[in-house]
Amino acid sequence: MSKGLPKRSEDYSLWYNELVKRADLAENSAVRGCMVIKPYGFSIWEKMQAELDRMFKKTGHSNAYFPLFIPKSYLSREASHVEGFAKECAVVTHYRLKADPSGKGVIVDPEAALEEELIVRPTSETVIWSTYKNWIQSYRDLPLLINQWANVVRWEMRTRLFLRTSEFLWQEGHTAHETKKEAEEETIRMMNVYATFAENFMALPVIKGKKSESEKFAGAESTYCIEAMMQDGKALQAGTSHFLGQNFAKAFDVKFATREGGLEYVWGTSWGVSTRLMGALIMAHSDDQGLVLPPKLAPIQVVIIPIFKREDELEAIRAKANEIMESLEDLGISVKFDDRDTHKPGWKFAEYELKGVPLRLGIGPRDLANNTVEMARRDTLSKSVVDLDEHLAATIKETLADIQESIYRKASAFTQEKTTTVDTWEDFVEVLEQKGGFIAAHWDGTAETEERIKEQTKATIRCIPLDQQAEEGSCILTGKPSVGRVLFARAY
Amino acid sequence: MSKGLPKRSEDYSLWYNELVKRADLAENSAVRGCMVIKPYGFSIWEKMQAELDRMFKKTGHSNAYFPLFIPKSYLSREASHVEGFAKECAVVTHYRLKADPSGKGVIVDPEAALEEELIVRPTSETVIWSTYKNWIQSYRDLPLLINQWANVVRWEMRTRLFLRTSEFLWQEGHTAHETKKEAEEETIRMMNVYATFAENFMALPVIKGKKSESEKFAGAESTYCIEAMMQDGKALQAGTSHFLGQNFAKAFDVKFATREGGLEYVWGTSWGVSTRLMGALIMAHSDDQGLVLPPKLAPIQVVIIPIFKREDELEAIRAKANEIMESLEDLGISVKFDDRDTHKPGWKFAEYELKGVPLRLGIGPRDLANNTVEMARRDTLSKSVVDLDEHLAATIKETLADIQESIYRKASAFTQEKTTTVDTWEDFVEVLEQKGGFIAAHWDGTAETEERIKEQTKATIRCIPLDQQAEEGSCILTGKPSVGRVLFARAY
């Protein structure tokens, strides 16, 4: 590392961009808006994927794979769906290149135009429901609970690594049910799975809620979401779960023979989280020294760094380090021993702080003599001396659990601190400008007011919280009656 | 199931297509040439992925992710590469749709043409080596050992589920090395990883070898491969590993500071296997009753089917089945108890035969009385009566291991039986027509002869086997001198 990161307090946005690059998480590619996810960043994503996949399977879902391309006409089948996605579609129009007659490079072969253009999937409802039509005949084929891990493309003009990229990786669940009630329950179930994952694994407190009509998914009856608060006071939508009603069933004519002998349209849901979660993970916990990773998602949970001048010192340390590593691996803890002689310990300390390794053990000759080891926590940057005895592995395991919990508690306290209840327009604007965060305020329930607030302040309704209290009040902008507070924030 | 599968002996091709569909592995989608991988098929692919991923990581590779799109100009940087792929490229030319002025549906927005067209990756060497240029400065950055799991698109006119589809799933390894020797060793190492995976997990015997110049990868110095024999006597290329020399390093100007203080181009490799392996797995082992899956890749290894007439009989069977399931799960064996009352046992037997579940246990009231269970092997379709005692789980575990091994032995014997050594053109043509399989024959080493043989017989050189014996002979077509036999076959 040449020099320190920019400070969060000075330029949060620059801090984020630099951190993503320097911690080897991702970088921009030569292709506009598309990122390269580097091995270290990808190893974090792999851990997130593995856990989510386990949770999806535990709730009865199976993985499958559907085509990357969607015929243009399919998109148009559901009116609001195409309206929502038409402006950001990458379109395949040809299937062949040929040598440039000028003799240099290749050109698109004009004779190889597709009869119907293909859209690179921005989401897969249309291609999946066109398939479900053949899979679903009777109530016996339901519920159909399917997930796919895939790349999707939504053309973006202004992109940011992980947060907004033209291509991103995600999972999309697509389920089909007999009844409205079952589909609604599934929608809520998956929102809860996302919330549990965010809180238990990402150490990220989230607000569960419902989107306003203007913010719901294009083609859904209603959209549920989890919203998280970042350190700069901006909110981030971390996952969405949509109740599709019978919209896509009607668009693709998916009917089933009911238990009663009738024929009805199927009820649907879809739900997804993406590599955007990486952005949330980074922005929620990290500091001016670099990443702070919750142990449950850290590719390396413990790093051991030898502090030595002579080769024989290293050998003694190595023997001890091997013992420690073995005892940690027995407990399922991932550990790395960095014995490179090309870098000094101080450099390594800074490097693993940047990379967010939760625990660092430093061992030098004096430690060996005292039978101790220096343990440094990444989250608090605090150090302690620990006995190098048979309890070490258990101590480390407990400490990792404590780190996981404290990161969550810290983020949770921060989210609470950044949540303000206001009753007037003046307070709303002032809190937004001075403090940011979530603002709980009354709203008259109309899309017009929502839009005017957005235009004037850049704040949007993040959600109508599931735990919204019935409370009579007056809309902060129009003064019209409201039945409960919704959460506003500026957002990523 | 309405009726039986077509017979292999009558129409192998139809048998394959029907089997893929009826066993719920995959189906054609509404998008030309693109398949839907159904949940059961995908669960087999997931098991293959998991094992391969483990093997790649064990040999030091990390996963990463690179963009789906490749700028058109990148493809042209390596001359033979672009020549190899230009004719099958899906090209993105626009990034937006708009409402059709006629009022119906959407059209491509002519104002949203890309400045430079983007190719949907047919393989990722170009976009990856353009990235490696920034990642590699010195020998300290080498070797760089990276893999990605991704979808790729190669536009195909004639497609077949799993074997040849316009979009397919695969992994592509891309490594960079200091020396030619190291890169060559990596190329061979990964070919060996593929061979080990095919033999130990897919129970698929393979021939390791080198491709002829005409058959090597577009952009490689040399291509190594594993070739397998299918039941209809046609060969299938199951995986390839390419030594790229310095071709892509030169095309993308990737140089490194050497240990000696010089500046040199990096040496590269790439290697991949795809969902084509699913085709190989199906075609190598299955029979007229359906799939035969090697236990190591079977999503369900054991199915228990209750044989009952009355509800109280089912209850007694269920209690016993639960005991068995628990003891099997303790040994890491995946097991399913199919107690649906909507289907008769005979229907279920046929269904799980079709799906290739390696072992079936049938339990009825008489079995309970005798404290036995009927065990049926999918591979041999043989049945035996086994004691329902504390040894049952161990017996099943041994039987699964035996099935894994017998499937391999059977395929291996078949491959040997289908390998013929010939010395004359007449014999070559006759064996090809009458028997098919691999033909070990002398070849004069020229691309012209190779091409003429292909034109006349549709047979190609599958590989120059790694264990080729030095042997003087005469080319079967031209009579010109040859130094050793190569393997010919008609191939998928």
Side-chain angles (χ1 to χ4, degrees):
Chain A
M1 287 160 307
S2 38
K3 54 188 168 62
L5 282 172
K7 290 201 188 328
R8 283 168 296 172
S9 56
E10 288 170 9
D11 191 336
Y12 190 80
S13 177
L14 184 65
W15 165 82
Y16 174 79
N17 292 342
E18 284 295 305
L19 174 54
V20 170
K21 281 178 223 169
R22 295 207 207 166
D24 282 335
L25 301 176
E27 64 184 38
N28 288 308
S29 77
V31 186
R32 239 191 78 88
C34 294
M35 66 181 157
V36 173
I37 307 180
K38 300 177 79 173
Y40 190 64
F42 201 83
S43 65
I44 300 172
W45 175 242
E46 276 180 312
K47 289 186 90 86
M48 295 172 83
Q49 273 192 299
E51 186 52 40
L52 283 165
D53 198 68
R54 203 188 58 78
M55 293 173 87
F56 299 155
K57 284 175 176 156
K58 214 175 160 185
T59 42
H61 303 85
S62 302
N63 288 332
Y65 189 76
F66 297 87
L68 171 67
F69 299 131
I70 297 177
K72 183 169 60 92
S73 59
Y74 277 40
L75 262 197
S76 318
R77 295 268 198 106
E78 212 288 334
S80 55
H81 190 67
V82 68
E83 208 184 303
F85 288 102
K87 286 182 186 145
E88 50 192 47
C89 285
V91 190
V92 176
T93 56
H94 291 75
Y95 59 84
R96 195 165 63 213
L97 301 172
K98 65 172 196 174
D100 189 333
S102 80
K104 220 187 146 190
V106 280
I107 59 167
V108 176
D109 185 343
E111 287 174 24
L114 289 169
E115 254 178 68
E116 178 179 6
E117 297 92 342
L118 295 173
I119 311 305
V120 181
R121 63 182 162 218
T123 179
S124 303
E125 277 77 5
T126 55
V127 73
I128 288 180
W129 280 88
S130 80
T131 309
Y132 282 2
K133 179 174 170 55
N134 300 319
W135 291 5
I136 300 170
Q137 269 85 45
S138 129
Y139 69 90
R140 279 182 293 263
D141 301 320
L142 299 172
L144 187 57
L145 306 172
I146 291 187
N147 175 62
Q148 100 169 338
W149 290 95
N151 53 344
V152 286
V153 172
R154 298 179 185 176
W155 205 264
E156 295 282 354
M157 286 305 169
R158 273 167 299 183
T159 60
R160 293 195 65 190
L161 291 166
F162 291 124
L163 297 172
R164 194 173 294 278
T165 49
S166 289
E167 181 193 16
F168 55 89
L169 303 184
W170 79 345
Q171 60 67 218
E172 45 182 324
H174 296 271
T175 70
H177 307 264
E178 276 184 83
T179 65
K180 181 176 180 183
K181 182 162 172 285
E182 271 184 41
E184 284 177 329
E185 282 167 1
E186 167 81 1
T187 313
I188 301 283
R189 180 182 305 118
M190 299 320 290
M191 176 198 64
N192 284 325
V193 163
Y194 289 154
T196 303
F197 172 75
E199 305 203 329
N200 291 359
F201 288 84
M202 297 174 67
L204 186 69
V206 294
I207 313 287
K208 297 189 256 190
K210 198 172 171 177
K211 287 286 179 192
S212 65
E213 285 296 301
S214 328
E215 297 277 340
K216 76 180 187 190
F217 176 73
E221 289 288 309
S222 55
T223 288
Y224 292 83
C225 62
I226 56 170
E227 295 280 328
M229 184 44 59
M230 303 296 104
Q231 293 180 70
D232 62 347
K234 283 170 79 175
L236 185 144
Q237 174 181 300
T240 47
S241 184
H242 317 295
F243 169 61
L244 303 176
Q246 296 174 311
N247 294 349
F248 286 90
K250 285 178 181 165
F252 289 90
D253 193 33
V254 187
K255 289 178 184 161
F256 73 105
T258 66
R259 286 171 201 270
E260 296 74 29
L263 198 62
E264 276 181 24
Y265 286 112
V266 170
W267 298 86
T269 85
S270 65
W271 29 274
V273 296
S274 73
T275 35
R276 196 158 209 248
L277 287 181
M278 289 287 294
L281 185 73
I282 297 160
M283 289 206 299
H285 306 307
S286 303
D287 62 25
D288 293 351
Q289 273 66 48
L291 273 185
V292 173
L293 290 176
K296 286 187 188 175
L297 296 178
I300 304 166
Q301 296 175 307
V302 178
V303 63
I304 304 176
I305 296 175
I307 295 144
F308 63 101
K309 290 196 178 111
R310 301 187 322 267
E311 192 60 27
D312 63 316
E313 288 173 345
L314 175 58
E315 281 318 302
I317 296 168
R318 190 196 307 280
K320 187 54 79 177
N322 284 338
E323 275 176 38
I324 300 173
M325 286 204 283
E326 214 168 287
S327 66
L328 290 179
E329 281 160 2
D330 283 349
L331 296 182
I333 296 167
S334 62
V335 52
K336 177 178 170 173
F337 178 50
D338 185 350
D339 60 353
R340 286 178 295 173
D341 57 8
T342 45
H343 295 91
K344 293 213 158 49
W347 187 95
K348 292 179 187 174
F349 287 8
E351 172 72 8
Y352 292 106
E353 279 174 8
L354 178 64
K355 294 272 179 81
V357 175
L359 269 186
R360 180 183 80 221
L361 303 181
I363 314 182
R366 209 163 40 191
D367 297 296
L368 286 187
N370 297 337
N371 213 34
T372 57
V373 51
E374 187 188 75
M375 183 165 83
R377 278 174 72 135
R378 174 62 187 89
D379 63 330
T380 52
L381 294 170
S382 61
K383 293 177 190 170
S384 57
V385 171
V386 184
D387 284 341
L388 234 174
D389 59 17
E390 74 277 16
H391 304 301
L392 181 64
T395 304
I396 286 174
K397 190 171 179 176
E398 279 161 30
T399 309
L400 288 172
D402 186 59
I403 294 174
Q404 180 81 29
E405 213 181 299
S406 349
I407 295 178
Y408 176 77
R409 273 201 311 269
K410 190 178 169 193
S412 190
F414 178 81
T415 302
Q416 278 173 40
E417 194 270 313
K418 282 281 185 191
T419 304
T420 314
T421 299
V422 308
D423 288 309
T424 68
W425 180 250
E426 293 66 36
D427 286 353
F428 182 81
V429 173
E430 193 188 320
V431 170
L432 207 53
E433 290 303 328
Q434 303 300 321
K435 182 181 171 187
F438 288 124
I439 305 183
H442 282 286
W443 160 60
D444 64 19
T446 68
E448 296 71 30
T449 301
E450 189 180 0
E451 183 59 27
R452 277 173 59 202
I453 294 175
K454 186 176 172 183
E455 273 171 17
Q456 292 180 39
T457 64
K458 290 186 186 151
T460 48
I461 298 176
R462 302 317 304 155
C463 68
I464 302 150
L466 283 205
D467 60 1
Q468 190 197 46
Q469 305 292 318
E471 179 192 286
E472 289 188 10
S474 312
C475 174
I476 43 161
L477 186 69
T478 63
K480 288 184 187 158
S482 149
V483 294
R485 294 172 188 276
V486 300
L487 280 190
F488 286 90
R490 287 180 182 152
Y492 281 95
Chain B
M1 285 159 307
S2 39
K3 53 188 167 66
L5 281 172
K7 292 204 186 325
R8 284 167 296 170
S9 57
E10 288 171 10
D11 192 336
Y12 191 81
S13 178
L14 183 66
W15 164 82
Y16 174 79
N17 292 343
E18 285 295 305
L19 174 54
V20 169
K21 281 178 225 169
R22 295 208 207 166
D24 281 335
L25 301 175
E27 64 183 38
N28 288 308
S29 78
V31 187
R32 238 191 78 90
C34 293
M35 66 181 157
V36 173
I37 307 179
K38 299 178 80 173
Y40 190 64
F42 201 83
S43 64
I44 300 171
W45 174 243
E46 276 181 312
K47 289 187 89 88
M48 294 173 84
Q49 274 192 299
E51 186 52 40
L52 283 164
D53 198 68
R54 202 188 58 76
M55 293 174 87
F56 299 155
K57 284 176 176 153
K58 213 174 161 189
T59 43
H61 304 84
S62 302
N63 288 332
Y65 188 77
F66 296 87
L68 170 68
F69 298 132
I70 297 177
K72 183 169 60 89
S73 59
Y74 276 40
L75 262 198
S76 318
R77 295 269 198 103
E78 214 286 335
S80 55
H81 190 67
V82 68
E83 209 185 301
F85 288 102
K87 285 182 188 145
E88 50 192 46
C89 285
V91 190
V92 176
T93 56
H94 291 73
Y95 58 84
R96 198 164 62 213
L97 300 173
K98 65 171 197 176
D100 188 332
S102 81
K104 220 186 147 191
V106 281
I107 58 167
V108 177
D109 185 343
E111 287 174 24
L114 289 170
E115 254 178 69
E116 180 179 5
E117 296 92 344
L118 296 172
I119 311 305
V120 181
R121 63 182 163 216
T123 178
S124 302
E125 277 77 7
T126 56
V127 73
I128 288 181
W129 279 89
S130 80
T131 309
Y132 281 1
K133 179 173 170 57
N134 300 319
W135 291 4
I136 300 169
Q137 271 84 46
S138 128
Y139 69 90
R140 279 181 294 262
D141 303 318
L142 298 172
L144 186 58
L145 305 173
I146 290 186
N147 176 61
Q148 102 170 337
W149 290 95
N151 53 344
V152 286
V153 172
R154 298 179 186 175
W155 206 263
E156 294 282 354
M157 286 303 167
R158 270 167 301 182
T159 60
R160 292 194 66 190
L161 292 167
F162 291 124
L163 296 172
R164 192 173 297 276
T165 49
S166 289
E167 181 193 17
F168 56 88
L169 303 184
W170 80 345
Q171 62 66 220
E172 45 182 326
H174 295 271
T175 71
H177 306 265
E178 277 184 81
T179 64
K180 181 178 180 182
K181 183 164 170 286
E182 271 183 42
E184 284 177 328
E185 283 166 0
E186 168 80 0
T187 312
I188 301 285
R189 180 181 307 118
M190 299 321 289
M191 175 198 64
N192 283 325
V193 163
Y194 290 153
T196 302
F197 171 75
E199 305 203 328
N200 291 359
F201 288 84
M202 297 174 66
L204 186 69
V206 293
I207 312 288
K208 298 189 256 190
K210 199 172 170 175
K211 287 285 177 192
S212 65
E213 285 297 299
S214 327
E215 297 277 340
K216 75 181 188 188
F217 176 73
E221 290 287 308
S222 54
T223 288
Y224 292 83
C225 61
I226 56 170
E227 296 280 329
M229 184 46 59
M230 302 296 104
Q231 293 180 71
D232 61 345
K234 283 171 79 175
L236 185 144
Q237 174 181 298
T240 48
S241 184
H242 316 294
F243 169 63
L244 303 176
Q246 296 173 312
N247 294 350
F248 286 90
K250 284 178 181 164
F252 291 89
D253 193 33
V254 187
K255 289 179 185 161
F256 73 105
T258 65
R259 286 170 200 270
E260 295 75 31
L263 198 63
E264 275 181 23
Y265 286 113
V266 169
W267 297 86
T269 85
S270 66
W271 29 274
V273 296
S274 74
T275 34
R276 196 160 210 248
L277 286 182
M278 290 287 293
L281 185 71
I282 298 160
M283 288 206 299
H285 306 307
S286 302
D287 62 24
D288 294 350
Q289 273 65 49
L291 273 184
V292 173
L293 291 176
K296 286 187 187 175
L297 296 178
I300 304 165
Q301 294 175 308
V302 177
V303 63
I304 305 177
I305 296 175
I307 295 145
F308 63 101
K309 289 196 180 116
R310 301 190 320 271
E311 193 60 26
D312 64 315
E313 288 174 346
L314 175 60
E315 281 319 303
I317 295 169
R318 190 196 308 281
K320 189 52 82 175
N322 284 338
E323 272 177 40
I324 299 173
M325 285 203 283
E326 214 169 286
S327 67
L328 289 180
E329 280 160 2
D330 283 348
L331 295 183
I333 296 167
S334 62
V335 52
K336 177 177 171 175
F337 177 50
D338 185 350
D339 60 354
R340 288 179 293 174
D341 56 9
T342 45
H343 296 92
K344 293 214 156 49
W347 187 95
K348 293 179 185 172
F349 288 6
E351 172 73 7
Y352 293 106
E353 278 175 9
L354 178 63
K355 293 273 178 79
V357 175
L359 267 186
R360 180 183 80 219
L361 303 182
I363 314 183
R366 209 165 39 192
D367 296 295
L368 287 186
N370 298 337
N371 213 34
T372 57
V373 51
E374 187 189 75
M375 183 165 82
R377 278 175 72 138
R378 174 62 186 90
D379 62 331
T380 52
L381 294 171
S382 61
K383 294 177 190 172
S384 57
V385 171
V386 184
D387 284 342
L388 236 175
D389 59 17
E390 73 276 16
H391 304 301
L392 180 65
T395 304
I396 286 174
K397 190 173 180 177
E398 278 160 33
T399 309
L400 288 171
D402 186 59
I403 294 174
Q404 180 81 28
E405 214 182 299
S406 341
I407 294 178
Y408 176 78
R409 272 200 313 267
K410 189 177 169 194
S412 190
F414 178 81
T415 303
Q416 276 171 42
E417 193 270 313
K418 282 283 185 189
T419 305
T420 314
T421 299
V422 308
D423 287 309
T424 67
W425 180 249
E426 291 66 35
D427 286 352
F428 183 82
V429 173
E430 193 188 321
V431 170
L432 207 53
E433 291 301 330
Q434 304 300 323
K435 180 180 171 188
F438 289 124
I439 305 182
H442 282 288
W443 161 59
D444 64 19
T446 69
E448 294 71 31
T449 301
E450 189 180 359
E451 183 60 27
R452 277 174 58 204
I453 294 175
K454 186 175 170 182
E455 274 171 17
Q456 293 182 36
T457 65
K458 292 188 185 148
T460 50
I461 298 177
R462 300 318 304 157
C463 69
I464 302 150
L466 283 204
D467 60 1
Q468 190 197 45
Q469 306 292 317
E471 178 192 286
E472 289 188 10
S474 312
C475 174
I476 43 161
L477 186 68
T478 64
K480 288 183 188 162
S482 150
V483 294
R485 294 173 188 275
V486 299
L487 280 190
F488 287 89
R490 287 179 183 152
Y492 280 97

